Amino acid sequence: MLAPSFFAAVFCSAISFAGNAQALIGATLLHRFRKHEKDSQVKVSCDQRAWPEVTLLKPLHGDEPLLRSALETLFTQDYPHFQIVFGLHSENDTARPVVESLCAQYPHVSVDIIIDATEHGPNRKVGNLINMYGHARHNIIVISDSDIHCDTTYLKHVVTSFDNPQTGLVTTLYAGRPGNGTVVQQIGSCQINHNFLPGVMMSRLLGRQDCLGATMALRRETLSAIGGLESLVDHVADDAQLGRLIRKQGYDITIAPTLTHTTVAETSLRDLLLHELRWGRTVKNEEPVGYGLSSIQLPLFWALAAVMFHPKSRWTWLLFLLSWCIRAIGSRTVDRATQTPLPTSIPLLPLRDWLSAGVMLASARGSRVAWRGRTVHIAKRKRTDN
């Protein structure tokens, strides 16, 4: 009679196979997306339309690694008329000199720097946006995180995505970019690029329309229809809430054909895992079933679990090695697609999957997350200073 451990190993193996299949499909879809992006880039560069004026809202908090590099990609946009509004909570914020230096370097760019310490709710980022919004002069509003690096045609891609009248919100894919290239930062980028990105591509293929917080673009009238930015300030996952509200209005969420990059800046494994724990608990509280099912994105975790259940069987070890090879192929495909090489990621892929599994387990309980020096209670919509 077969032991229960055998059936457990078979179960883990089946999930590992499914995870590897998803990873390869997701990587292939991402490769196609990037090919489409190149075609779109030629089109928007030659487009002679009367481009509408755009306001970029950029909330800031401190001088993060590669901050100047990220912000400079906005100043160098190939777009005729746009305004950038930067928001700070304090005059002494270390991001301010970075912005002022860029303003001096690019005097032709219309920039407003808003310093306002007013808080409107637990989500300080949204509170910052509320303070900035009154200074926005144009109809199309693009909200972008401070650590996002974008191509020079970024705004054109976002604006052309509104050509479809059914589009109510435009968002963008993003890949991780190690701030200093350290092993910890490559491990963090590996989670975004090799797990998150293929998962997003698969979810879009299956019909999901999620808002990715790196970019959130919409028209003023659409924002007013959902209750303005004030409707987001009580939610830590403001991007998910915005996406839900847009969908309730009957609009679609469109992914612009351009890939952005987010800086992975953590300097220690502890900081990285705390960041991922915040993200994990936030997603778990918003989409508990979907978050649990996303464990399929960890095929090496499941393959190694099969080995642990049946360590003396050759087939479990072969499965583990095969899974590692497939995962490596998918990861290299993603690295080429995102143009973000992560040389140390392949030998660390099993560790990366097990770290992710540990974060998921830690996210299963609790609603408190550390965020910008504060403890935010996701479910209770409260926060306390650390």
Side-chain angles (χ1 to χ4, degrees):
M1 184 176 179
L2 296 175
S5 59
F6 172 80
F7 293 102
V10 170
F11 174 76
C12 292
S13 300
I15 299 179
S16 179
F17 272 119
N20 279 316
Q22 175 187 284
L24 287 178
I25 294 171
T28 302
L29 291 172
L30 181 63
H31 174 74
R32 291 179 180 176
F33 176 89
R34 293 290 277 169
K35 185 178 180 181
H36 173 62
E37 179 183 347
K38 290 181 180 179
D39 296 336
S40 299
Q41 198 156 16
V42 174
K43 291 180 181 179
V44 298
S45 297
C46 300
D47 197 327
Q48 298 300 315
R49 73 175 69 190
W51 292 98
E53 296 177 319
V54 174
T55 291
L56 280 148
L57 300 183
K58 203 77 168 177
L60 301 177
H61 182 86
D63 183 8
E64 305 164 305
L66 298 184
L67 178 64
R68 182 185 177 87
S69 174
L71 298 184
E72 190 169 15
T73 62
L74 296 182
F75 283 83
T76 57
Q77 283 297 297
D78 177 20
Y79 200 86
H81 304 290
F82 65 96
Q83 170 201 20
I84 308 176
V85 181
F86 292 104
L88 304 167
H89 280 298
S90 167
E91 292 185 357
N92 299 321
D93 193 302
T94 51
R96 184 179 178 183
V98 177
V99 173
E100 291 175 342
S101 174
L102 287 169
C103 289
Q105 184 176 349
Y106 299 95
H108 62 283
V109 178
S110 175
V111 175
D112 293 275
I113 303 174
I114 309 305
I115 302 173
D116 191 337
T118 305
E119 295 186 25
H120 301 266
N123 191 321
R124 296 190 76 206
K125 170 190 167 183
V126 176
N128 200 356
L129 289 170
I130 293 172
N131 296 336
M132 300 156 62
Y133 185 69
H135 301 269
R137 296 193 293 271
H138 308 309
N139 183 49
I140 295 180
I141 306 296
V142 180
I143 301 169
S144 175
D145 285 347
S146 60
D147 58 357
I148 291 299
H149 307 250
C150 53
D151 191 80
T152 55
T153 53
Y154 165 77
L155 282 180
K156 286 185 175 179
H157 283 302
V158 170
V159 170
T160 54
S161 297
F162 285 110
D163 288 348
N164 184 348
Q166 188 59 29
T167 295
L169 178 69
V170 178
T171 189
T172 59
L173 297 178
Y174 62 91
R177 175 178 295 179
N180 300 310
T182 65
V183 173
V184 168
Q185 291 169 356
Q186 290 193 51
I187 290 175
S189 298
C190 179
Q191 166 64 17
I192 298 172
N193 300 2
H194 302 160
N195 289 358
F196 171 75
L197 261 180
V200 170
M201 301 307 297
M202 276 295 296
S203 68
R204 292 291 296 194
L205 181 66
L206 297 174
R208 282 188 63 95
Q209 293 189 20
D210 294 314
C211 174
L212 308 177
T215 299
M216 301 182 293
L218 68 173
R219 296 184 178 90
R220 281 182 180 272
E221 56 267 27
T222 308
L223 183 57
S224 297
I226 64 170
L229 292 167
E230 288 78 6
S231 64
L232 311 177
V233 76
D234 286 333
H235 300 266
V236 174
D238 50 272
D239 51 353
Q241 177 66 4
L242 178 59
R244 278 195 295 269
L245 293 174
I246 293 294
R247 295 289 288 157
K248 284 182 179 179
Q249 292 291 318
Y251 289 113
D252 289 338
I253 300 172
T254 298
I255 293 182
T258 183
L259 180 74
T260 60
H261 288 78
T262 181
T263 304
V264 178
E266 284 76 18
T267 57
S268 70
L269 186 60
R270 178 180 181 276
D271 289 341
L272 175 65
L273 294 179
L274 286 175
H275 185 158
E276 293 182 358
L277 179 62
R278 172 175 69 81
W279 181 86
R281 283 183 172 169
T282 302
V283 177
K284 183 264 298 183
N285 279 275
E286 294 289 334
E287 294 280 352
V289 176
Y291 184 59
L293 292 175
S294 69
S295 63
I296 195 177
Q297 297 173 359
L298 310 175
L300 282 173
F301 164 78
W302 293 105
L304 195 52
V307 171
M308 294 171 67
F309 278 116
H310 229 251
K312 295 182 180 180
S313 295
R314 182 180 299 179
W315 67 269
T316 58
W317 284 100
L318 288 175
L319 167 70
F320 173 67
L321 294 175
L322 177 62
S323 181
W324 200 337
C325 290
I326 294 174
R327 189 93 153 81
I329 292 171
S331 297
R332 282 292 180 245
T333 301
V334 171
D335 288 350
R336 288 192 295 270
T338 60
Q339 298 178 329
T340 308
L342 302 174
T344 64
S345 65
I346 299 303
L348 295 177
L349 284 173
L351 173 63
R352 175 63 269 186
D353 273 16
W354 274 80
L355 288 174
S356 297
V359 169
M360 292 191 74
L361 286 173
S363 302
R365 297 186 61 185
S367 61
R368 295 188 304 167
V369 296
W371 191 30
R372 298 293 194 184
R374 303 195 169 191
T375 298
V376 181
H377 300 262
I378 302 171
K380 297 179 181 179
R381 316 296 187 203
K382 297 178 180 178
R383 64 99 177 137
T384 56
D385 293 341
N386 279 342

